[in-house]
């Protein structure tokens, strides 16, 4: 409870859902939200290039996405803590539906920029509510000591699987359409140039977002929250934002999590911006490059899903979540270094090494994420959980925007990759020393809402039993 007039307390009832049911619905929501995003990944850079945009302009579009998401992370995270998880997720789906329509049909730079901005806003809205809903439901059914790591890992795996499948579909559709003589020209002529083969995945993604909205409204019950007015909502959000901004200042472990998210943003910006061009250069055409990048991205996301599934095992093997994070990030550093060292060669050996590096990037990030979020959820309570996740996403988006602009401005070669590797290495080194356990907080924070949740006795880094409880259970 935040103690304020509008911050919602979570009641014990979540539609009578047990932990297993909540986990399945959380996995489904994660899959449906990220599937259309995956469908646009393989063709995004190549679609914008086909529309006549240069690499610097494309980097600007992605910066619009990242900066919009960063600017709205805290306000929308606080909004979810005030009015509920379900309505915020539904709004995110509607915004994404509109964004994919603009991106798929827009031939002008302003339309693409608007679509990327709307997608960034949807990203900000969606970055915390689904996971917060899941954790709230599990805590309501099993208590505050319920294991979260396994469920968070499954949600992260579902996200990766959706991105993998979506990327494969998105990259394959333009290639399949290109096999049929005259189909591409017919699409362009019929729609006045609005729809071309590379834009079909984005248009289909808009339809999937409609399914996502319907599922969220029907499958995510929430406890009754205090009735509030527009004035109450507007008044409650700033308090949640203030608590969010103070998270890192109050707690060294949360500060490490936020800085690690920033390092991950640098890595993802480099991979997402630079890899499609390398694939197109390798194959010689945009459509073939999109297909190759789709297969590569699909493998990367599946590798990330594998890393997420292995996260609990990595934590047990290394001695806890705090040790698992730097071990996982070390794989990402190695992968980025391999990608950087092979930029100037397209020989079979260099290509094999680059593909291996690409997989290591996603394997490391996939294994690190659930362990980071396991630590985060044990530091915050339900009244500020979505805000905390939004701050984490904010850290990633801000650095991703700057890193993407920097990578687009730098000359092609190993330098952008090696700079990203250095950023991730710096994030891993933050975990060399363990953080002290957080003291138990039983009262409101200085801003009117609690930030840290009571921590069970014993080491914070691994409060779960040696064998993760199967009935109990992320960016």
């Amino acid at each position: 409870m935040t103690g304020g007039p509008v911050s919602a307390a979570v009641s014990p009832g979540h539609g009578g859902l047990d932990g297993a049911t909540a986990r399945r619905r959380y996995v489904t929501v994660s899959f449906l939200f990220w599937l259309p995003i995956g469908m646009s990944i393989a063709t995004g850079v190549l679609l914008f290039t086909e529309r006549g945009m240069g690499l610097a302009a494309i980097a600007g579009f992605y910066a619009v996405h990242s900066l919009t998401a960063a600017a709205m992370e805290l306000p929308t995270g606080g909004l979810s803590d005030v009015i509920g998880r379900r309505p915020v997720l539904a709004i995110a789906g509607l915004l994404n539906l509109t964004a994919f329509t603009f991106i798929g049909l827009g031939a002008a730079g302003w339309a693409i920029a608007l679509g990327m901005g709307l997608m960034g806003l949807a990203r900000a809205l969606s970055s915390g509510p689904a996971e917060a809903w899941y954790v709230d439901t599990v805590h309501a059914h099993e208590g505050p000591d319920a294991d979260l790591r396994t469920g968070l890992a499954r949600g992260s795996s579902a996200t990766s699987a959706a991105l993998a499948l979506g990327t494969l579909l998105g990259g394959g559709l333009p290639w399949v359409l290109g096999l049929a003589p005259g189909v591409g020209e017919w699409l362009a002529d019929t729609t006045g140039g609005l729809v071309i083969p590379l834009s079909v995945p984005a248009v289909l993604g808009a339809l999937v977002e409609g399914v996502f909205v319907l599922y969220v409204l029907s499958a995510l019950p929430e406890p009754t929250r205090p009735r509030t007015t527009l004035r109450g909502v507007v008044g409650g959000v700033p308090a949640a934002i203030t608590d969010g901004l103070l998270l890192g200042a109050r707690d060294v472990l949360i500060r490490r999590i936020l800085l690690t998210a920033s390092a991950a943003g640098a890595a993802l910006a480099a991979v997402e911006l630079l890899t499609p061009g390398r694939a197109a250069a390798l194959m010689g055409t945009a459509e073939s490059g999109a297909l190759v990048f789709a297969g590569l991205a699909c493998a990367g996301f599946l590798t990330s899903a594998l890393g997420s599934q292995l996260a609990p095992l990595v934590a047990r093997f290394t001695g806890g979540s705090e040790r698992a994070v730097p071990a996982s990030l070390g794989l990402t550093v190695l992968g980025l270094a391999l990608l950087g060292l092979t930029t100037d060669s397209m020989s079979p050996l260099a290509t094999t090494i680059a593909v291996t590096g690409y997989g290591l990037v996603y394997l490391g990030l996939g294994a690190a994420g659930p362990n980071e979020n396991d630590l985060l959820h044990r530091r915050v309570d339900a009244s500020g959980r979505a805000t905390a996740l939004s701050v984490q996403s904010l850290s990633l988006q801000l650095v991703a925007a700057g890193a993407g602009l920097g990578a687009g401005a730098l000359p092609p070669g190993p330098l952008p990759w090696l700079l990203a590797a250095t950023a991730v290495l710096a994030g891993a080194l933050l975990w060399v020393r363990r953080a002290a356990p957080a003291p138990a907080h039983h009262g409101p924070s200085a801003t009117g809402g609690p930030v840290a949740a009571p921590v069970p006795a014993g080491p914070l880094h691994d409060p779960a039993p040696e064998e993760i409880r199967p009935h109990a259970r992320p960016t």
Side-chain angles (χ1 to χ4, degrees):
M1 301 277 295
T2 63
V6 299
S7 295
V10 178
S11 71
H14 280 73
L17 299 183
D18 58 19
T21 302
R23 181 167 56 245
R24 286 194 298 271
R25 296 189 182 187
Y26 169 56
V27 166
T28 303
V29 165
S30 300
F31 184 88
L32 286 176
F33 181 82
W34 288 99
L35 178 63
I37 295 176
M39 293 174 68
S40 68
I41 285 177
T43 56
V45 173
L46 300 175
L47 171 62
F48 301 154
T49 302
E50 193 74 10
R51 298 291 197 190
M53 310 298 167
L55 187 59
I58 295 172
F61 295 148
Y62 282 97
V64 169
H65 171 277
S66 296
L67 292 175
T68 302
M72 298 305 297
E73 279 291 357
L74 291 179
T76 54
L79 182 65
S80 171
D81 287 329
V82 171
I83 69 172
R85 323 303 191 193
R86 180 170 58 184
V88 172
L89 278 174
I91 295 170
L94 292 173
L95 287 173
N96 257 349
L97 189 156
T98 307
F100 284 123
T101 302
F102 273 106
I103 291 172
L105 303 180
W110 67 266
I112 297 173
L114 178 58
M116 295 296 283
L118 291 174
M119 190 180 294
L121 179 56
R123 171 68 181 272
L125 284 164
S126 68
S127 63
E131 187 170 318
W133 175 87
Y134 168 71
V135 176
D136 291 345
T137 305
V138 172
H139 280 174
H141 187 263
E142 300 176 11
D145 294 332
D147 171 59
L148 300 174
R149 192 161 49 209
T150 301
L152 292 176
R154 291 188 182 181
S156 181
S157 295
T159 296
S160 298
L163 289 170
L165 177 60
T167 303
L168 194 60
L169 290 173
L173 279 172
W175 180 76
V176 171
L177 292 173
L179 294 179
V183 172
E185 293 79 0
W186 177 82
L187 281 174
D189 293 340
T190 304
T191 60
L194 294 179
V195 178
I196 59 177
L198 287 171
S199 67
V200 170
V203 175
L204 293 179
L207 299 178
V208 177
E209 287 293 347
V211 177
F212 166 81
V213 172
L214 294 176
Y215 186 83
V216 165
L217 294 176
S218 62
L220 301 188
E222 287 195 281
T224 302
R225 293 174 180 266
R227 296 177 65 88
T228 186
T229 63
L230 177 61
R231 179 181 179 183
V233 171
V234 174
V237 170
I241 294 174
T242 303
D243 275 338
L245 292 174
L246 293 175
L247 282 174
R250 290 184 179 130
D251 192 316
V252 63
L253 183 61
I254 293 180
R255 185 160 60 247
R256 289 180 183 178
I257 293 171
L258 299 181
L259 291 173
T260 303
S262 300
L268 291 172
V271 170
E272 292 172 0
L273 182 66
L274 301 176
T275 308
R278 289 180 67 167
L282 180 66
M283 298 304 298
T285 66
E287 288 77 11
S288 298
L291 180 63
V292 169
F293 177 63
L296 182 62
C298 178
F301 291 132
L302 290 176
T303 304
S304 179
L306 174 63
S308 297
Q309 288 295 100
L310 293 176
L313 178 62
V314 175
R316 289 197 293 269
F317 181 77
T318 58
S321 293
E322 284 192 57
R323 291 176 176 172
V325 172
S328 302
L329 293 179
L331 295 177
T332 301
V333 173
L334 176 60
L336 290 168
L338 293 178
L339 283 165
L341 295 174
T342 56
T343 53
D344 295 330
S345 176
M346 294 186 183
S347 68
L349 177 61
T351 301
T352 302
I353 294 174
V355 170
T356 302
Y358 188 90
L360 288 175
V361 169
Y362 281 94
L363 181 66
L365 293 178
N371 285 301
E372 293 172 34
N373 283 19
D374 175 65
L375 294 168
L376 179 65
H377 287 304
R378 296 183 187 280
R379 293 294 213 199
V380 297
D381 66 8
S383 66
R385 182 162 289 122
T387 301
L389 292 168
S390 289
V391 177
Q392 184 185 28
S393 183
L394 169 65
S395 302
L396 186 149
Q397 294 291 340
L398 280 176
V399 174
L405 289 173
L410 289 172
L415 184 58
W417 297 102
L418 297 181
L419 289 177
T422 302
V424 178
L425 177 60
L429 293 177
L430 294 172
W431 296 84
V432 171
R433 295 183 58 186
R434 286 192 177 185
H441 290 263
H442 301 286
S445 68
T447 62
V451 172
V455 178
L460 172 71
H461 65 274
D462 196 9
E466 283 297 316
E467 293 187 5
I468 301 301
R469 289 168 287 184
H471 61 277
R473 141 113 156 165
T475 111

